Amino acid sequence: MTPSRGLINHRSATRVVRGVAVAAALTLSLAACAGSDPEVAGADGATASFGDASIQFSWIKNAEFMGEYLADANGYFSAAGFDSVDMIEGPASIEAAVISGNVDMGIGNAISTGTIIANEGAPLKIIGATYQKNPFTILSLADKGNIASLDDLTGKTIGVQASNLSLWEAFLEINDIDENSLTTLPVQYDPTPLFNGEVDGWFSYLTNESIDAELLGLDPVNLPLADFGLPFVAETLTVTDDAIKNDREKLKALLVAEIRGWTDAINDPEAAAQLTLETYGPTFDLTIEKETRQAEIQSVDLVVSADTLTNGLFTISDQLQQQSIDTLAATGLTITASQLFDLTLLDEVYAENPDLVAYSK
């Protein structure tokens, strides 16, 4: 079984719109973008050259990063002007890696990055988000717990990992749920106690433990946090303020390649899952069944939204920025959107490469 993970760890944060009838349209609309010329030209018309680059993943090399794999395998990083792009597996604090200068970009989430900025004044910004909807959920089983609504939490025992406790408490507070109306049980990350019926619910990922339950035939029931008071962006692209100022073209080239890679991954999640299993994650205990389900869930439920269909992948609307800020506030942290986000590079990328949003037209 692929390991589980938590979200808010203030020393080393490991991590954290439903598909709007887009599944049928994706295959037709994304194909046009995937076939376009991927080269990034400099001011003199020649392809720019940026040497080597590096990206820190917050988690292991599974289908979570399928867009990055496609950007590499399909030559988009190379076409954007990179000799190589080192994709460094986690688990890891992407914020620490980026601040240290060891990597050019980290893939994390708005809550862990916002926590580091708010608490430590870290010179970081999020420049885009792969997930428009965070994947956190309270997982239960239909024949044990069956937690499909907030009212269903009453009297239940919920397993919550230490690193997710702040987010769980924020979830209770924002939904006006008395913590004495249920039992919060400290647990580790292996969801076996849920699967064995020892607890009623489990703090989980839609793209991890929920899939495990599904593949075991256990009839999972999800209560997604994003649908119940805590929406925020995840799989966010984080860089330093200095890089935004001094390595702007390099970051924009990375964004172009990433957008093209994710376009291909969304267009063919089964192929993306196969590539993950065979080429990028062969050292992990992955299965094609789970990686395919994760790729499908990401493509339909998490990555694509009404905003990305209009404005392009990685878009973070003003509303979603504010929702992320409000979620941080619910955990007791004060931070502004301008302190957490800088989407000017993404705006420039789409202005300079209008074909990148062609799939959404």
Side-chain angles (χ1 to χ4, degrees), residues 223-268:
L223 191 75
L225 270 60
D227 295 340
F228 291 90
L230 289 183
F232 57 88
V233 287
E235 299 307 292
T236 44
L237 310 179
T238 298
V239 302
T240 63
D241 293 342
D242 181 74
I244 292 174
K245 180 179 179 180
N246 296 311
D247 293 318
R248 199 170 185 86
E249 295 305 313
K250 181 178 184 179
L251 293 179
K252 285 161 60 177
L254 275 175
L255 285 172
V256 169
E258 289 256 354
I259 291 166
R260 294 191 188 282
W262 272 98
T263 297
D264 287 358
I266 293 168
N267 194 37
D268 195 346

Side-chain angles (χ1 to χ4, degrees), residues 20-341:
V20 281
V22 300
L26 282 172
T27 299
L28 292 175
S29 56
L30 291 176
C33 180
S36 57
D37 182 2
E39 289 193 354
V40 177
D44 60 358
T47 301
S49 178
F50 300 105
D52 300 327
S54 54
I55 302 173
Q56 177 67 60
F57 294 167
S58 55
W59 195 237
I60 64 172
K61 288 184 176 179
N62 64 359
E64 183 171 338
F65 308 102
M66 62 185 190
E68 283 71 34
Y69 309 149
L70 267 295
D72 183 47
N74 288 351
Y76 299 141
F77 286 134
S78 176
F82 295 99
D83 295 335
S84 69
V85 174
D86 187 13
M87 296 178 287
I88 305 167
E89 66 195 40
S93 166
I94 66 99
E95 292 82 12
V98 173
I99 291 172
S100 70
N102 291 334
V103 298
D104 295 291
M105 180 185 292
I107 301 178
N109 67 81
I111 304 306
S112 61
T113 300
T115 297
I116 299 297
I117 294 173
N119 284 342
E120 303 178 21
L124 299 171
K125 291 290 187 299
I126 289 171
I127 60 172
T130 309
Y131 284 4
Q132 300 291 296
K133 174 180 177 179
N134 78 77
F136 282 91
T137 184
I138 306 305
L139 172 66
S140 61
L141 306 178
D143 62 354
K144 171 65 175 177
N146 196 28
I147 303 169
S149 71
L150 296 176
D151 290 340
D152 294 335
L153 286 165
T154 302
K156 301 296 170 54
T157 297
I158 311 299
V160 181
Q161 306 79 14
S163 59
N164 286 323
L165 187 59
S166 294
L167 194 59
W168 168 244
E169 291 173 346
F171 171 75
L172 296 179
E173 179 180 346
I174 207 164
N175 287 294
D176 197 25
I177 297 173
D178 184 351
E179 63 181 15
N180 294 318
S181 69
L182 48 75
T183 300
T184 299
L185 182 68
V187 297
Q188 299 300 315
Y189 296 102
D190 182 352
T192 300
L194 173 70
F195 298 165
N196 288 343
E198 298 171 34
V199 297
D200 300 300
W202 199 264
F203 205 100
S204 306
Y205 253 48
L206 290 168
T207 52
N208 194 355
E209 298 91 341
S210 182
I211 298 176
D212 290 332
E214 177 184 328
L215 294 176
L216 289 170
L218 295 177
D219 198 5
V221 177
N222 284 291
L223 191 75
L225 270 60
D227 295 340
F228 291 90
L230 289 183
F232 57 88
V233 287
E235 299 307 292
T236 44
L237 310 179
T238 298
V239 302
T240 63
D241 293 342
D242 181 74
I244 292 174
K245 180 179 179 180
N246 296 311
D247 293 318
R248 199 170 185 86
E249 295 305 313
K250 181 178 184 179
L251 293 179
K252 285 161 60 177
L254 275 175
L255 285 172
V256 169
E258 289 256 354
I259 291 166
R260 294 191 188 282
W262 272 98
T263 297
D264 287 358
I266 293 168
N267 194 37
D268 195 346
E270 290 185 2
Q274 194 71 44
L275 183 67
T276 298
L277 192 72
E278 295 179 353
T279 304
Y280 293 90
T283 61
F284 299 102
D285 186 21
L286 307 180
T287 67
I288 191 60
E289 293 81 10
K290 183 172 182 178
E291 298 313 298
T292 299
R293 283 296 293 132
Q294 176 165 354
E296 292 169 346
I297 291 169
Q298 290 178 157
S299 298
V300 176
D301 292 336
L302 303 179
V303 175
V304 177
S305 70
D307 289 320
T308 65
L309 287 172
T310 300
N311 301 309
L313 294 180
F314 301 170
T315 295
I316 311 175
S317 68
D318 291 343
Q319 179 184 24
L320 195 47
Q321 290 180 57
Q322 188 58 50
Q323 288 174 335
S324 300
I325 295 302
D326 292 343
T327 295
L328 279 160
T331 69
L333 295 170
T334 300
I335 188 173
T336 66
S338 62
Q339 289 174 311
L340 183 56
F341 300 103

